[in-house]
Amino acid sequence: MSPAVTLDGFIANLDGECYSWINPADEARYEKVREVGGCELVGRKTYEQYFDDFNSGRNVMTFVYTHQSRFTDTDKIKFIHGAGQEVLDQIAQYGFSQLLFSGGGELNGLLATAGVIDEIIVSIHAIVLGAGIPIFGSYKPSLKLKLLSTDQNVEGVVQNRYQVIRQPGQAPAKSAHINL
């Protein structure tokens, strides 16, 4: 999982917009990670909000989580649904063993609650919105994290990388390494 968040924990304003406050250098850093991994997972609302970005001919496979059947797969965009591990299994069928996802909040919350996130890389931007879409949407996951690194190379942004610590008896995700 690799979201950009405000200091008060929002990934977007209430309308789903975030580009007005995301530092362009942090966005470029995210794009590089996305291209190296070769795939990403986003929710339907994020896909619809930034449709042109996802359909711009990038060399990245985009998986869109949705329960709606009105969408049709293309070469680079696949529409999927299911529980947390089922989503990973569907993506693994395309040959991917790592997955980058960054929203929306409901998708982040679904996967965090399912216990299938290995890492969270979060870029905290120096802005407070006061209201918006929470990083985990309406979900309330309980996660124990270990700080692995902190990067302050982008002005106005602190990027923290965390490992998700499994609870005793909790099995790791069986088919994918996920960056949230």
Side-chain angles (χ1 to χ4, degrees):
M1 175 174 169
S2 187
V5 300
T6 62
L7 189 58
D8 51 349
F10 298 114
I11 58 172
N13 66 22
L14 291 172
D15 293 328
E17 190 279 327
C18 61
Y19 281 152
S20 64
W21 55 266
I22 290 181
N23 181 310
D26 188 48
E27 180 67 19
R29 177 170 50 186
Y30 174 79
E31 289 293 331
K32 287 179 185 175
V33 171
R34 178 171 35 196
E35 288 179 20
V36 168
C39 74
E40 66 184 334
L41 173 65
V42 298
R44 178 194 52 83
K45 290 178 186 175
T46 300
Y47 173 72
E48 289 179 335
Q49 177 102 14
Y50 299 104
F51 178 83
D52 291 337
D53 292 344
F54 295 113
N55 288 284
S56 65
R58 297 171 304 139
N59 194 24
V60 173
M61 173 96 48
T62 300
F63 295 93
V64 181
Y65 184 84
T66 182
H67 291 286
Q68 297 184 6
S69 60
R70 63 186 169 100
F71 297 103
T72 304
D73 288 351
T74 68
D75 287 346
K76 292 290 183 182
I77 300 178
K78 307 296 180 194
F79 297 91
I80 60 175
H81 67 276
Q85 189 61 54
E86 292 171 323
V87 169
L88 300 184
D89 292 343
Q90 290 175 56
I91 292 169
Q93 290 177 5
Y94 289 92
F96 295 104
S97 62
Q98 292 192 16
L99 174 63
L100 176 70
F101 67 99
S102 60
E106 292 302 306
L107 178 60
N108 294 344
L110 171 81
L111 297 174
T113 302
V116 297
I117 299 171
D118 295 319
E119 279 189 3
I120 297 175
I121 302 170
V122 60
S123 292
I124 305 164
H125 289 250
I127 186 170
V128 174
L129 292 179
I133 298 172
I135 189 170
F136 294 111
S138 63
Y139 290 83
K140 306 291 185 221
S142 177
L143 301 173
K144 184 175 180 181
L145 307 173
K146 176 183 176 184
L147 180 64
L148 300 176
S149 65
T150 296
D151 179 344
Q152 297 180 4
N153 291 326
V154 173
E155 185 177 339
V157 179
V158 174
Q159 186 179 72
N160 290 332
R161 180 176 169 225
Y162 299 95
Q163 175 185 7
V164 176
I165 305 299
R166 301 278 169 218
Q167 302 300 322
Q170 182 182 18
K174 68 179 185 179
S175 65
H177 173 83
I178 298 180
N179 289 329
L180 176 69

